[in-house]
Amino acid sequence: MKPAQPGADVRSPDFSTLCIHAGEARQKPGDAITDAIFCASTYTFPDTQSVIDFIEQKQPREEYGRYGNPGEKVVEAKLAALEGGESALLFSSGMAAIVGLLMARLSAGDEVIFFDECYHRSREFCAKHLSRFGVVTRQVKACDYEAMEAAISPQTRLLISESPTNPHLSVVDIERFVGIGRRHGVETLIDATLGTPYNLRPLEAGVDYVLHSATKYLAGHNDLLAGVIVASARQLEPVRTLRGIMGAINSPHNIYLLERGLKTFGLRMARHNENGLAVARFLAGHPRIERVYYPGLESHPYYEVARRTMRGYGGLVTFEVKDADWRQTAAVVDACRIPRIGPSLGGAESLIEQPLVMSYFEHPPEDRERFGIRDNMIRLACGLEHPDDLVSDLKQALER
């Protein structure tokens, strides 16, 4: 954005203004209003001295596509601004982002502690793969802060949680979470994919790292994969170096699509919040529904924490159909006409799924019970359709 003139009385930009302009140069190559797509694997130098200057002076230019892209820097600056952070690092997916951070941060003998409602693939990577290299993973019940603190040892390096969690939508008291880490000198990570920078501000509460699957709300159109970590430049520097070695980068076209999607992020989140709350309230009053998981409802166990820490509650609603087995629950899913059946969330199109079928079908019943994945559970990711249409569609599906 163009800097204000000295002495000018200028207000701080609104969130939606940051979505559109943050990180971007006012005048761009070719005088285009949009940033260019740089489809280059390598970047050239005019002479040998230029290479030496680049190395010795650490000049902010590109050398090779695996280490950076001009468009990537724009998107990273925009994401850092939206999160209120110093620096951001873009990856090819959310999983690539957390894997990159964990690989850069943890060594043999180190320990990491998760709340047990974190994304199952994140926990699986640590428990099944990092364990082969001597990293110990501990899992404690979500939002049990005493259990998390009790699990900390001198080898603990990182505390990890989502907020809200998926699919149960438990909301972490982030200040309390940060306090545990600070008392013990342990860094903290919040996966705020469901919270989004629009609804939740973990860095302001003192969290060290914020992670997003940018595939979801940030990109917003179900058409790309991306992940991002936001933290201080110092904390991200070793992660950036490892990313260059791993090659977990995004493509130039995906970077362009993500930047375009971010321009409407604030507007889209307002509708996601509206739709999620409208659907949750409808389901909470329906006789065929046993339970609704949505932090914007007063019946939710973490409603007070959510009301205190969140601007809105997002578009994800999880609910359980009363007295239904998994096949009867599937019939409700199949009867819906608007949402498509599929994983993911945060796009313009609503998506619906049974967590039992989509993510845990091959897991033994005791695992599903341990993770709270019930036969009658449905997860609805509300898109940008009109809330009355979504409610009407659910009504007809439940009444069949």
Side-chain angles (χ1 to χ4, degrees), residues 295-352:
L297 296 178
E298 293 185 6
S299 59
H300 193 279
Y302 300 106
Y303 169 74
E304 286 300 328
V305 176
R307 188 175 63 85
R308 175 166 49 85
T309 61
M310 298 182 72
R311 178 182 187 176
Y313 311 106
L316 194 72
V317 184
T318 302
F319 58 99
E320 295 170 4
V321 183
K322 188 178 295 182
D323 301 325
D325 61 24
W326 78 268
R327 293 185 185 277
Q328 292 166 327
T329 305
V332 175
V333 171
D334 292 346
C336 289
R337 297 166 178 164
I338 293 177
R340 322 285 179 84
I341 299 174
S344 200
L345 58 107
E349 301 88 358
S350 290
L351 297 170
I352 195 167

Side-chain angles (χ1 to χ4, degrees), residues 45 50-59 61 63:
F45 296 81
S50 298
V51 181
I52 295 170
D53 291 343
F54 165 70
I55 296 170
E56 292 184 341
Q57 300 173 20
K58 300 186 184 301
Q59 293 174 345
R61 54 150 293 164
E63 171 197 4

Side-chain angles (χ1 to χ4, degrees), residues 365-385:
E366 56 270 24
D367 278 2
R368 298 198 295 265
E369 179 64 28
R370 181 156 51 96
F371 295 130
I373 304 300
R374 298 180 174 84
D375 291 3
N376 63 341
M377 178 181 281
I378 295 174
R379 193 190 81 162
L380 173 63
C382 298
L384 302 180
E385 302 91 351

Side-chain angles (χ1 to χ4, degrees), residues 74-327:
V74 172
V75 174
E76 288 178 343
K78 190 183 292 289
L79 289 167
L82 294 179
E83 194 64 67
E86 181 183 5
S87 185
L89 183 57
L90 198 62
F91 283 82
S92 54
S93 69
M95 275 307 304
I98 194 168
V99 167
L101 175 63
L102 293 170
M103 292 292 288
R105 185 67 188 87
L106 302 176
S107 301
D110 289 344
E111 298 182 2
V112 58
I113 302 174
F114 281 86
F115 278 147
D116 65 359
E117 290 181 10
C118 289
Y119 181 47
H120 69 284
R121 293 299 187 192
S122 300
R123 292 181 282 119
E124 179 183 354
F125 172 73
C126 289
K128 289 188 177 181
H129 300 286
L130 280 185
S131 60
R132 295 187 289 115
F133 303 98
V135 174
V136 175
T137 299
R138 305 190 186 282
Q139 298 186 47
V140 300
K141 184 175 176 56
C143 300
D144 188 336
Y145 306 99
E146 289 81 7
M148 175 166 273
E149 189 153 20
I152 293 175
S153 77
Q155 288 72 45
T156 305
R157 297 292 175 264
L158 199 59
L159 308 179
I160 300 178
S161 182
E162 292 182 28
S163 191
T165 64
N166 182 6
H168 297 90
L169 294 157
S170 300
V171 180
V172 173
D173 187 331
I174 295 182
E175 291 184 356
R176 193 171 178 184
F177 177 75
V178 168
I180 294 171
R182 286 181 172 172
R183 281 195 297 276
H184 296 272
V186 178
E187 290 184 329
T188 50
L189 165 67
I190 286 289
D191 180 341
T193 298
L194 267 64
T196 78
Y198 185 87
N199 287 332
L200 189 66
R201 311 296 288 178
L203 293 178
E204 292 177 6
V207 167
D208 291 293
Y209 304 95
V210 178
L211 169 76
H212 293 278
S213 171
T215 307
K216 314 299 195 299
Y217 288 114
L218 293 173
H221 292 83
N222 289 324
D223 58 2
L224 65 89
L225 298 176
V228 66
I229 300 172
V230 184
S232 72
R234 176 189 60 80
Q235 289 169 310
L236 285 183
E237 189 54 40
V239 190
R240 187 180 298 277
T241 300
L242 182 60
R243 187 196 67 171
I245 297 170
M246 294 170 59
I249 58 170
N250 223 311
S251 72
H253 190 67
N254 269 8
I255 291 167
Y256 165 77
L257 288 176
L258 177 55
E259 182 181 348
R260 186 175 70 166
L262 285 168
K263 289 180 184 292
T264 58
F265 171 58
L267 296 173
R268 290 187 286 102
M269 280 312 303
R271 173 54 74 89
H272 283 299
N273 288 342
E274 178 188 1
N275 284 356
L277 187 58
V279 165
R281 284 173 172 167
F282 162 74
L283 291 168
H286 197 283
R288 283 205 65 195
I289 299 304
E290 179 179 327
R291 182 176 181 180
V292 180
Y293 300 79
Y294 189 74
L297 296 178
E298 293 185 6
S299 59
H300 193 279
Y302 300 106
Y303 169 74
E304 286 300 328
V305 176
R307 188 175 63 85
R308 175 166 49 85
T309 61
M310 298 182 72
R311 178 182 187 176
Y313 311 106
L316 194 72
V317 184
T318 302
F319 58 99
E320 295 170 4
V321 183
K322 188 178 295 182
D323 301 325
D325 61 24
W326 78 268
R327 293 185 185 277

